[in-house]
Amino acid sequence: MFKENIKTLVNKYLSKYNQIVDTLYKSAYSTNPEAFRLKDPSNIKIYVLKLSPILGANFSYQLYLTYEKDKNLELEIIDLTEEKHYEDYSKYRSPEDFITQKFLEKTNIGHGNILYTEDISVYNNLHTLTADEFTNIYSNKIWHDTFHNRMLILVTSEGRRFVEHVNHPASYYAKNAAKYSYSLLDLKAIIDTVNDEDFSYQMDQAIAAYENSLYLASCATLGVCLETLCKLLLQKEGKKIKDSDPTMLDKLGQRLRENKIINYKLNSRIDVCYKIRNLSSHTSPGKVLQGDCHFIIATINEIVDTYFK
C-alpha cells in the first residue's frame, strides 16, 4: 500500500504540474520543452528516503523526483534509519542539508537532476490506507489547493529560469557550453574524450545556439562537428587526409565504411545526418529542428563512445 500511495501522490502532483504548464507556459514549452522536465514521466524516477526518528516526526519520509532517462516513474525506497548514516551529521547546517547530501551520495545523481523534493511525513497513514482511501482523503479542496500551490511555485520558477536563459546573449553560453542543464547528453565528457581544439570550439558554438533555441544554426554547426569527428577518426586509424580529398559528411562516412572502420549501420546514420543538415532549412521550426539536433548529437555520441574511449 505504501508504494501505491506514493505513486498516487506523485501522479496528483504531475497532473497539476501539466495543467499549469499547458495553461500558463504553453508557448515556452513548445519552444523549449527541456525547461519543463516533469512534463515527460518516461524520464522521471521516484525516490523515497526513509529516515531515522531521531530527526523528528517532520522528517520521517523525503520524496525526490529526479530526471533519469527511461525510468518511467520507477520507485526506489532508500532506508536511512540505521544509526551509522548519522555519524557525520554535525558537519551539516540543517537537517535539509544533511538529507540532500545523503540522497546524492546514495544515488550518484547530479544535483541539477533533482526536479522536485518534499517532506511527505505530513501525508498521514501512507502505510495503512488503501490506494482508494488515500485518493479519497487527499482529493478534498484543501489538498487540491496544496498540490496546486506547490506545483505553481515550481513551474513559475522553471518559467523564470527559461526567460533568463533565452535572454542571455550567445556569448554567455559559448564558453564551456556543454555544462548547462539543457544539454541532452554529457557533452563535456564527449569533448574531453575527443580532446581536439577545433572540435571543442565547434561543439561549444553548436550548444550555445541550441541553448538559445537557435535550432537551425545549431543543426548546421553540429553537422560541422560531425565532419570534424569523422576526419579525426580517419586520422586516428592512420588514414591521411589530403587537401584535395572531399570532406563533405557523406563522403567522409563513405570513406570510413570503405576502410572498414565503421559498419554499414553507422555509415547510414552519418548519411542521414548529412541529409538532415542539408534539408534543415526547409523543415518546420521548433520541435522538428530540435529533434534533428538530437539525432546528430546522438550520432556524435555513438562515434565517440565506440571509437574514442
Side-chain angles (χ1 to χ4, degrees):
M1 287 184 288
F2 180 72
K3 289 185 176 181
E4 288 82 356
N5 289 340
I6 293 297
K7 289 202 171 184
T8 297
L9 178 65
V10 169
N11 282 321
K12 283 181 175 292
Y13 276 129
L14 295 182
S15 176
K16 184 55 62 177
Y17 178 94
N18 287 333
Q19 181 185 356
I20 294 170
V21 172
D22 291 341
T23 303
L24 300 181
Y25 290 93
K26 186 175 182 178
S27 176
Y29 176 74
S30 66
T31 302
N32 202 327
E34 286 88 353
F36 305 94
R37 291 184 288 174
L38 278 179
K39 278 284 286 179
D40 185 359
S42 68
N43 295 326
I44 299 171
K45 184 170 180 179
I46 308 166
Y47 292 89
V48 174
L49 271 60
K50 185 179 179 182
L51 302 162
S52 170
I54 197 69
L55 289 178
N58 291 335
F59 296 101
S60 300
Y61 296 99
Q62 193 77 20
L63 172 72
Y64 284 89
L65 302 181
T66 63
Y67 179 81
E68 296 183 56
K69 296 287 287 183
D70 302 321
K71 290 300 182 180
N72 293 301
L73 297 179
E74 177 184 317
L75 172 60
E76 180 177 343
I77 298 174
I78 300 175
D79 191 334
L80 295 178
T81 56
E82 294 184 34
E83 290 185 5
K84 64 181 181 180
H85 297 298
Y86 300 84
E87 292 174 353
D88 61 345
Y89 180 81
S90 61
K91 296 193 308 185
Y92 300 94
R93 295 176 298 174
S94 66
E96 291 83 1
D97 287 345
F98 170 79
I99 293 168
T100 298
Q101 185 57 40
K102 289 300 175 183
F103 172 74
L104 294 173
E105 290 174 1
K106 291 294 181 181
T107 60
N108 291 320
I109 291 172
H111 200 286
N113 285 327
I114 298 176
L115 305 181
Y116 181 73
T117 182
E118 180 194 349
D119 172 62
I120 57 172
S121 307
V122 66
Y123 298 103
N124 297 322
N125 303 320
L126 283 166
H127 282 283
T128 58
L129 292 175
T130 66
D132 288 341
E133 289 171 337
F134 185 86
T135 299
N136 290 335
I137 289 176
Y138 293 101
S139 293
N140 63 40
K141 186 178 187 305
I142 294 175
W143 288 107
H144 179 274
D145 290 346
T146 298
F147 299 142
H148 179 88
N149 292 338
R150 287 178 176 168
M151 290 300 101
L152 180 60
I153 291 170
L154 175 61
V155 175
T156 301
S157 174
E158 292 175 334
R160 187 180 302 115
R161 286 200 302 271
F162 168 78
V163 171
E164 292 172 353
H165 145 70
V166 297
N167 285 338
H168 277 306
S171 58
Y172 178 85
Y173 291 106
K175 186 177 181 180
N176 298 321
K179 71 181 181 180
Y180 290 97
S181 62
Y182 293 108
S183 299
L184 301 182
L185 300 167
D186 187 358
L187 299 175
K188 184 177 186 306
I190 292 174
I191 292 170
D192 290 346
T193 300
V194 175
N195 192 28
D196 178 81
E197 186 175 350
D198 289 340
F199 179 77
S200 175
Y201 174 78
Q202 292 160 2
M203 284 292 288
D204 277 348
Q205 292 294 313
I207 301 306
Y210 182 96
E211 294 292 349
N212 283 273
S213 303
L214 302 175
Y215 302 127
L216 178 59
S218 180
C219 189
T221 310
L222 284 168
V224 175
C225 295
L226 186 53
E227 284 180 354
T228 299
L229 188 63
C230 288
K231 287 188 281 187
L232 290 171
L233 180 55
L234 283 167
Q235 292 170 351
K236 184 175 182 292
E237 297 297 324
K239 308 300 178 184
K240 294 183 179 181
I241 299 178
K242 301 176 183 177
D243 292 339
S244 57
D245 289 342
T247 57
M248 288 193 301
L249 193 51
D250 61 333
K251 300 300 182 183
L252 289 168
Q254 183 179 343
R255 186 176 174 188
L256 286 165
R257 172 65 177 151
E258 289 172 350
N259 283 278
K260 298 182 179 180
I261 298 172
I262 63 174
N263 58 26
Y264 173 79
K265 180 181 177 181
L266 186 51
N267 183 31
S268 296
R269 283 178 64 92
I270 292 172
D271 190 53
V272 171
C273 290
Y274 169 74
K275 293 173 181 176
I276 283 175
R277 188 185 67 175
N278 289 346
L279 294 172
S280 60
S281 60
H282 302 291
T283 61
S284 300
K287 289 186 179 180
V288 175
L289 269 176
Q290 190 180 35
D292 292 343
C293 295
H294 299 180
F295 185 85
I296 299 176
I297 291 172
T299 303
I300 290 171
N301 182 65
E302 181 178 348
I303 294 173
V304 174
D305 193 54
T306 304
Y307 298 99
F308 284 83
K309 287 188 175 180

